Amino acid sequence: MNVLILGDRTDPHAAHVGQAVAQAGASVYYCNTQHFPTRIQLSWSPSAHTGTIMLPEGDRLDLHQIHSIFWRSFYGVQVPPLQDAQQASIAHKDALSALRSLMQACPAYWINSWQAYQFHQEKPLQLHRIAQLGVPIPPTLISNDPQAILQFYESYPDLIFKPVYGGAYTQRITPDHLNLDRLELASKIAPVTLQEYVPGTNVRSYVIGAEVYTAEIRSDAVDFREDAAATLIPAILPEAVQQQCVAIAHCLYLEWTAIDWRLTPDGQYVFLEANPSPMFLHFERQTGFPITQLLVERLIG
């Protein structure tokens, strides 16, 4: 049985999953997509429904021989430097199109799929879909309109902000951020996601299929990811919220995910985000929840 890890073998989570799958008796391969097309070779025939990928170590895998794929990290592609900018652009687009096509054509079982990864890039749409499920989300505005931002602040004076796409920590809004000159400048660079700050306790739920494992995260930081001293305490979600976890994963095309909640003082669980490739080793060690075991069972099942 062949299991492919999408990511680099030096990544602790990729290596951990790979080692666990290998211990369960499967053959494990790693694919760092940055090595395409310089060190990875692929071929695919849409008419014959056949394809192969040869990895840097020389291993050649037929697409139909890959049983499952664990999505840890997608690094895009990296073409050699070219002096001609147009040629460089064409080469990059060609390489990325070929790789993306092969990934979507591969019949292996994915945790998680290209569709899930793509949907994760559209976080505002994610929030919209979650709200349509009836799951509470914070009042939110995505905007690069200074007047709209100021009006939103008037309605919700306790705000946080973060990138629309991701890649930076959440911060609290201060009066300096709302300086009109600063807003005008920032609005010409990129939109921003604004949300009402939700007081309460950080809660993270890992969802694997129909299994849900949850812990409270004790931290005073606005974004607990910045707090190395944060502590994890296993918790049991109300049955209705557990069902929401499974519904959220299904809605976002996720076989597995980590959902971040804020538990308000009045007992309401407010959805913040669902991650398609969450880190989990620290969580597992702190709580004893069998995340690795469940992932391996799905990858080799």
Side-chain angles (χ1 to χ4, degrees):
M1 181 184 297
N2 297 321
V3 176
L4 185 67
I5 308 294
L6 190 69
D8 195 88
R9 64 175 67 246
T10 63
D11 175 86
H13 285 77
H16 175 82
V17 172
Q19 291 165 6
V21 169
Q23 290 174 1
S27 298
V28 177
Y29 304 88
Y30 293 86
C31 179
N32 180 338
T33 59
Q34 276 188 320
H35 294 155
F36 181 71
T38 55
R39 298 177 59 200
I40 292 175
Q41 298 174 8
L42 63 81
S43 298
W44 181 48
S45 172
S47 56
H49 308 293
T50 59
T52 61
I53 181 169
M54 189 168 77
L55 301 170
E57 295 79 10
D59 299 302
R60 185 184 296 273
L61 298 176
D62 185 291
L63 293 190
H64 293 278
Q65 294 175 335
I66 302 173
H67 178 74
S68 60
I69 301 175
F70 179 76
W71 185 303
R72 173 54 191 154
S73 298
F74 176 69
Y75 298 108
V77 299
Q78 193 168 66
V79 301
L82 297 174
Q83 291 185 346
D84 187 302
Q86 183 178 9
Q87 288 183 346
S89 176
I90 292 172
H92 183 270
K93 291 176 181 177
D94 283 351
L96 190 57
S97 178
L99 181 63
R100 288 170 52 166
S101 296
L102 193 77
M103 290 171 67
Q104 294 176 78
C106 181
Y109 169 67
W110 287 76
I111 304 179
N112 284 299
S113 68
W114 178 265
Q115 184 182 27
Y117 170 78
Q118 284 287 87
F119 197 47
H120 181 67
Q121 312 310 302
E122 321 301 343
K123 289 189 176 182
L125 182 58
Q126 265 196 7
L127 283 172
H128 176 65
R129 292 282 182 86
I130 299 306
Q132 287 181 318
L133 291 176
V135 177
I137 67 170
T140 303
L141 176 71
I142 294 91
S143 180
N144 71 328
D145 180 342
Q147 293 304 317
I149 290 171
L150 291 172
Q151 289 175 11
F152 191 70
Y153 177 71
E154 289 177 2
S155 299
Y156 305 101
D158 194 0
L159 290 177
I160 59 92
F161 72 97
K162 55 187 177 182
V164 177
Y165 179 86
Y169 292 125
T170 299
Q171 299 182 52
R172 298 286 280 269
I173 286 282
T174 68
D176 286 344
H177 292 122
L178 298 172
N179 175 277
L180 192 56
D181 289 339
R182 181 172 179 173
L183 278 179
E184 291 285 356
L185 177 62
S187 70
K188 293 176 172 58
I189 298 173
V192 66
T193 295
L194 302 169
Q195 289 183 324
E196 182 182 26
Y197 176 75
V198 180
T201 303
N202 292 307
V203 175
R204 170 164 282 199
S205 299
Y206 283 86
V207 185
I208 309 173
E211 301 289 334
V212 180
Y213 295 91
T214 299
E216 289 187 7
I217 304 173
R218 301 289 174 85
S219 172
D220 293 327
V222 174
D223 191 322
F224 66 81
R225 294 173 298 176
E226 293 187 282
D227 185 2
T231 57
L232 303 172
I233 302 173
I236 303 296
L237 289 178
E239 180 63 28
V241 182
Q242 291 196 49
Q243 292 175 4
Q244 287 180 334
C245 285
V246 176
I248 289 168
H250 180 74
C251 174
L252 304 182
Y253 313 110
L254 295 164
E255 296 290 323
W256 102 290
T257 183
I259 298 173
D260 290 327
W261 304 92
R262 187 61 65 90
L263 175 59
T264 65
D266 63 359
Q268 184 180 52
Y269 286 83
V270 179
F271 173 89
L272 301 180
E273 186 176 8
N275 192 320
S277 181
M279 293 187 288
F280 65 92
L281 294 180
H282 178 66
F283 183 96
E284 184 173 56
R285 290 166 185 154
Q286 288 278 316
T287 63
F289 292 149
I291 296 174
T292 300
Q293 176 187 333
L294 291 171
L295 287 173
V296 170
E297 287 175 359
R298 296 183 78 83
L299 286 167
I300 67 174

